[in-house]
Amino acid sequence: MRIGIGYDSHRFSAGCKLVLGGAEIPFEMGLVSHSDGDALCHAITDAILGALGEGDIGKHFPDNDEKWKGASSVTLLKTIVDLAGSKGYEITWIDCIVIAEKPKLAPHIEAMKQALSKAGIPTSLINIKAKTNEGMGFTGRGEGIAAQAVCLLGKAGQ
Ligand code: MG
């Protein structure tokens, strides 16, 4: 059994879509990134990579590589879920936190879980929590969104 931790954050900007956990969320701003800025997907991807001992998301999908410009983070996540499978591991459990002052994310958690299932993470094996930061720090000031994830991997078929 292996455990991994992941963290990511992205800055808000007007004129782009807000995508979290693969779900598009109605809001007046989105998150700036080389990819689609999906901080939750990136945190989960890094948690799985941590459990695999395979470095981090930047090693696998360099942000100076045009190939990943505007890429769907669910697609990147699926690549890493498949990598875990190829190494004989399956996801036992994922728990995550999205920290955002706005918008309210609780109504979108089921949509996120459904979207993440397209990356090969069953909805029954992931928990997503949405929190504010009580007005403190960059998330509290509404400058961006942060996400944290932990992933437990088990040997496949055990
Ligand atoms: Mg990121």
Side-chain angles (χ1 to χ4, degrees), residues 8-10 33 35 37-39 42 57:
D8 196 30
S9 61
H10 285 287
S33 166
S35 65
D38 190 333
H42 297 172
I57 194 168

Side-chain angles (χ1 to χ4, degrees), residues 107-128:
H108 303 286
I109 284 174
E110 280 312 310
M112 292 182 206
K113 288 170 81 168
Q114 287 296 332
L116 289 167
S117 72
K118 293 180 184 130
I121 300 170
T123 55
S124 59
L125 296 182
I126 184 165
N127 186 67
I128 302 171

Side-chain angles (χ1 to χ4, degrees), residues 7-11 17-25 30-46 57 70-77 98 112 115-116 128 145-147:
Y7 170 85
D8 196 30
S9 61
H10 285 287
R11 182 183 294 275
K17 290 177 184 169
L18 177 59
V19 181
L20 283 171
E24 199 175 316
I25 294 164
L31 298 170
V32 185
S33 166
H34 186 67
S35 65
D36 58 9
D38 190 333
L40 176 56
C41 257
H42 297 172
I44 295 168
T45 304
D46 258 353
I57 194 168
S72 158
S73 297
V74 172
T75 305
L76 308 189
L77 176 57
V98 187
M112 292 182 206
L116 289 167
I128 302 171
I145 285 180

